[in-house]
């Protein structure tokens, strides 16, 4: 069966978005499938980064989410539709954005398959600009995860974790039970320890904190020797049974082995709550290399690039 044509004029343009907007709630319930198809998360990320969230919705409920920054739109995550409809929906959405006053560029973050499909139908009136950067997203088989980090492959991690546990008192509590300023201080310390080439969206993390982690199914703070040193938060991926998105995991780098302890806490929670696969979010460089130590079963990629008029 041929996919029905999608025209730029088919979209309704929602310029004022609430987290409980029934149109977007329906869109996620019917077509959501990607880790970031979470309206609360979308709003925290876009508003936290200084953008204006706007959505483009078809009569079917399929949608394309974006943030407007002056003369550019940044789309957010994958389009909320089926795989077969992604490329035509993206193209029609981009053309709709360019029909709006003052828009000079549309920036997208797409999985490889979606990007290739879009570029395959891009008309000569539009051109793709060289990618800005690529994120690598690890997937972990939680069935086979061993909380003891047994075996030769995990010996280094196991020794690090054992030293950490032997010398510190750990406690894990809901983020709602600790001061928000303590969590914000973690974000700022984390950012101060980042590689200068790694851009960190600290304002978005701070908004998650100030809003009380509205996107999260679970948000937990780690206290070491009575002090807040990190936090983990995440949620279920819509329409993907068993898949948990461990979206947020930050610590203040104050103690050797803290990063390993944070990951193990997250994996333990995910396994204890019955999930079978964990997605630990897209990253670059050193962060991706750190994640590899825990033995992901696979990776997928997303590319950040722009479309402009030819």
């Amino acid at each position: 069966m041929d996919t029905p044509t999608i025209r730029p004029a088919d979209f309704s343009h929602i310029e004022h978005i609430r987290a409980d907007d029934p149109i977007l709630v329906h869109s996620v319930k019917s077509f959501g499938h990607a880790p970031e198809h979470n309206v609360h998360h979308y709003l925290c990320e876009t508003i936290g980064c200084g953008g204006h969230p706007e959505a483009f919705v078809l009569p079917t409920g399929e949608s394309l989410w974006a943030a407007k920054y002056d003369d550019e739109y940044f789309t957010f995550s994958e389009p909320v539709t089926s795989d077969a409809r992604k490329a035509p929906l993206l193209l029609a959405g981009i053309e709709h954005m360019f029909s709006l006053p003052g828009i000079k560029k549309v920036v997208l973050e797409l999985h490889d398959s979606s990007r290739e499909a879009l570029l395959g139908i891009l008309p000569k009136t539009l051109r793709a600009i060289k990618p800005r950067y690529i994120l690598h997203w690890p997937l972990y088989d939680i069935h086979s995860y061993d909380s003891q980090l047994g075996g030769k492959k995990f010996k280094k991690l196991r020794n690090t974790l054992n030293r950490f546990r032997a010398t510190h008192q750990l406690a894990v509590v809901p983020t709602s039970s600790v001061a928000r300023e303590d969590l914000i201080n973690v974000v700022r310390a984390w950012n101060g320890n980042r590689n200068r080439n790694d851009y960190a969206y600290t304002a978005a993390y701070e908004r998650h904190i100030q809003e009380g982690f509205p996107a999260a199914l679970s948000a937990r703070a780690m206290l070491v020797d009575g002090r807040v040193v990190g936090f983990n938060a995440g949620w279920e991926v819509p329409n993907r049974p068993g898949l948990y998105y461990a979206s947020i995991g930050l610590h203040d780098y104050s103690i050797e082995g803290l990063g390993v302890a944070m990951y193990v806490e997250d994996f333990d929670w995910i396994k204890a709550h019955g999930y079978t696969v964990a997605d630990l979010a897209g990253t670059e460089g050193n962060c991706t290399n750190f994640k590899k130590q825990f033995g992901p079963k696979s990776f997928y990629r997303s590319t950040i690039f722009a479309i402009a008029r030819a």
Side-chain angles (χ1 to χ4, degrees), residues 194-217:
R194 301 273 290 176
N195 185 304
R196 68 178 60 188
N197 294 322
D198 292 339
Y199 185 79
Y201 296 96
T202 56
Y205 290 124
E206 291 187 18
R207 188 168 184 90
H208 278 280
I209 293 167
Q210 295 289 9
E211 295 287 331
F213 293 95
L217 174 66

Side-chain angles (χ1 to χ4, degrees), residues 27 43 51 67 110 135 171 203 215 237 248-249 269 301:
S27 186
L43 294 178
L110 297 176
L135 300 179
V237 178
I248 301 171
W269 188 94
R301 305 191 318 170

Side-chain angles (χ1 to χ4, degrees), residues 69-97:
Y69 298 86
D70 298 324
D71 58 359
E72 296 182 343
Y73 273 108
F74 281 60
T75 65
F76 186 84
S77 187
E78 292 279 293
V80 189
T81 185
S82 66
D83 286 346
R85 298 262 289 177
K86 284 182 179 179
L89 187 151
L90 282 164
L91 179 57
I94 291 166
E95 290 177 332
H96 184 106
M97 292 175 190

Side-chain angles (χ1 to χ4, degrees), residues 237-259:
V237 178
N239 300 311
R240 303 281 297 277
L243 177 56
Y244 183 84
Y245 181 39
S247 174
I248 301 171
L250 304 182
H251 65 87
D252 65 6
Y253 289 89
S254 62
I255 307 167
E256 183 180 358
L258 179 56

Side-chain angles (χ1 to χ4, degrees), residues 6-229:
I6 303 174
R7 302 168 301 170
D10 292 338
F11 288 98
S12 297
H13 182 185
I14 304 177
E15 297 183 70
H16 302 285
I17 296 175
R18 305 186 321 272
D20 61 350
D21 188 307
I23 295 174
L24 295 190
V25 170
H26 167 71
S27 186
V28 172
K29 184 177 180 179
S30 300
F31 303 102
H33 63 277
E36 296 192 312
H37 287 168
N38 178 315
V39 181
H40 284 288
H41 175 59
Y42 163 51
L43 294 178
C44 283
E45 293 286 313
T46 55
I47 296 171
C49 292
H52 184 262
E54 301 182 14
F56 301 85
V57 184
L58 293 174
T60 56
E62 298 156 291
S63 60
L64 181 62
W65 303 353
K68 187 178 181 183
Y69 298 86
D70 298 324
D71 58 359
E72 296 182 343
Y73 273 108
F74 281 60
T75 65
F76 186 84
S77 187
E78 292 279 293
V80 189
T81 185
S82 66
D83 286 346
R85 298 262 289 177
K86 284 182 179 179
L89 187 151
L90 282 164
L91 179 57
I94 291 166
E95 290 177 332
H96 184 106
M97 292 175 190
F98 277 127
S99 73
L100 300 174
I103 299 302
K104 297 180 180 178
K105 192 179 296 181
V106 177
V107 182
L108 305 101
E109 178 184 348
L110 297 176
H111 299 167
D112 283 350
S113 58
S114 300
R115 181 172 182 267
E116 290 166 7
L118 173 62
L119 296 182
I121 63 170
L122 204 65
K124 293 181 179 180
T125 54
L126 299 174
R127 62 186 176 91
I129 300 172
K130 181 180 177 181
R132 298 183 177 188
Y133 55 96
I134 295 172
L135 300 179
H136 300 266
W137 300 64
L139 296 173
Y140 296 83
D141 180 359
I142 299 301
H143 273 315
S144 63
Y145 166 69
D146 175 10
S147 61
Q148 301 303 312
L149 298 176
K152 184 177 180 180
K153 181 170 72 171
F154 297 118
K155 181 178 179 180
K156 183 178 178 180
L157 289 175
R158 183 171 65 252
N159 289 342
T160 298
L161 182 62
N162 288 341
R163 286 194 302 270
F164 181 87
R165 288 173 169 171
T167 54
H168 299 285
Q169 293 291 321
L170 281 69
V172 178
V173 300
T175 53
S176 58
S177 70
V178 303
R180 290 180 179 177
E181 188 60 32
D182 288 342
L183 298 171
I184 290 172
N185 287 338
V186 168
V187 174
R188 293 172 181 173
W190 169 82
N191 185 46
N193 282 277
R194 301 273 290 176
N195 185 304
R196 68 178 60 188
N197 294 322
D198 292 339
Y199 185 79
Y201 296 96
T202 56
Y205 290 124
E206 291 187 18
R207 188 168 184 90
H208 278 280
I209 293 167
Q210 295 289 9
E211 295 287 331
F213 293 95
L217 174 66
S218 174
R220 307 172 307 282
M222 179 174 280
L223 283 68
V224 175
D225 302 329
R227 183 172 62 86
V228 177
V229 295

